[in-house]
Amino acid sequence: MNKILSVVIPTFNMEKYLGRCLHSCIADLNEREKAALEVIVVNDGSQDNSLAITKKFQDDYPDVFTIIDKQNGNYGSCINAALKIAQGKYIKVLDADDWFDGREFLKLVDCLMKGSDVDLVLTNYQLFMGEKKITSPVFPIHGGLYKFDECMPSVPNMEMHFVTYKVSILRDNSYKQTEGIFYTDQEWIFYPMLHVKTIEVLDASPYCYFLGRPGQSI
């Protein structure tokens, strides 16, 4: 089966959280759904057990997990490395200290498997402080298909956790992340958006955004 979704997980010294993150990608998927999923873990020169944890998942699910093991180059370099090899029709970034709500993630996978062909799929997210869920932001648009100009003026605070792009939107426009800087998620949100024409809003909140980790950049 062709891959319908590539999930990119940049990883640097995330052994404490990585197992939870990787497990969440497959926890609620059946074999057919797993076959449609590609999880690309980009190990960015980790000095802990991040690579070994990822290899265990790759050994158990070789058709799902792909590893890029490279020298440290910061976040943008991880996205660029993954984009070169991604096989999915769509692509979503998941930080290694975050995770997916399995049932909500299944809604996204099923939506894409049913033949969605829009440039961008928007979903909501859940916010956690430590292990405690704080809130899910109120998404201002109901589920459905939209043209860009119909949808985007109603989303005043666009965030990385919302977006799942069609890969061709990135490749056809030679998208590349700036390397060696912080807050590259802002580029991921806005630069590809310049080329988006069609959007599907899905009533799902798959992304679990974790706050409160020591050393976290926010």
Side-chain angles (χ1 to χ4, degrees), residues 100-173:
F100 287 134
D101 179 313
R103 293 183 180 180
E104 296 293 291
F105 181 55
L106 177 58
K107 294 179 184 178
L108 174 60
V109 174
D110 282 348
C111 171
L112 300 180
M113 291 181 69
K114 289 176 182 176
S116 182
D117 197 45
V118 295
D119 299 331
L120 169 66
V121 179
L122 293 177
T123 52
N124 207 348
Y125 71 93
Q126 305 173 43
L127 181 63
F128 285 77
M129 182 63 72
E131 300 301 317
K132 182 180 179 181
K133 181 178 177 181
I134 304 299
T135 186
S136 288
V138 178
F139 207 71
I141 305 174
H142 294 297
L145 298 174
Y146 297 87
K147 294 180 180 179
F148 182 88
D149 292 341
E150 295 173 332
C151 181
M152 296 314 296
S154 300
V155 186
N157 298 309
M158 181 59 64
E159 300 188 49
M160 182 197 82
H161 323 304
F162 292 155
V163 301
T164 303
Y165 287 114
K166 185 189 284 186
V167 170
S168 61
I169 287 292
L170 306 172
R171 288 180 173 157
D172 290 351
N173 294 285

Side-chain angles (χ1 to χ4, degrees), residues 11-19 48-50 53:
T11 304
F12 177 70
N13 292 346
M14 284 287 122
E15 65 179 5
K16 183 176 179 180
Y17 307 100
L18 187 57
D48 63 0
N49 290 318
S50 294
I53 292 168

Side-chain angles (χ1 to χ4, degrees), residues 11-12 42-46 68-74 77-78 179:
T11 304
F12 177 70
V42 187
N43 183 50
D44 195 34
S46 296
I68 298 175
D69 185 25
K70 67 179 196 64
Q71 292 182 343
N72 182 261
N74 222 317
S77 69
C78 296
E179 300 188 6

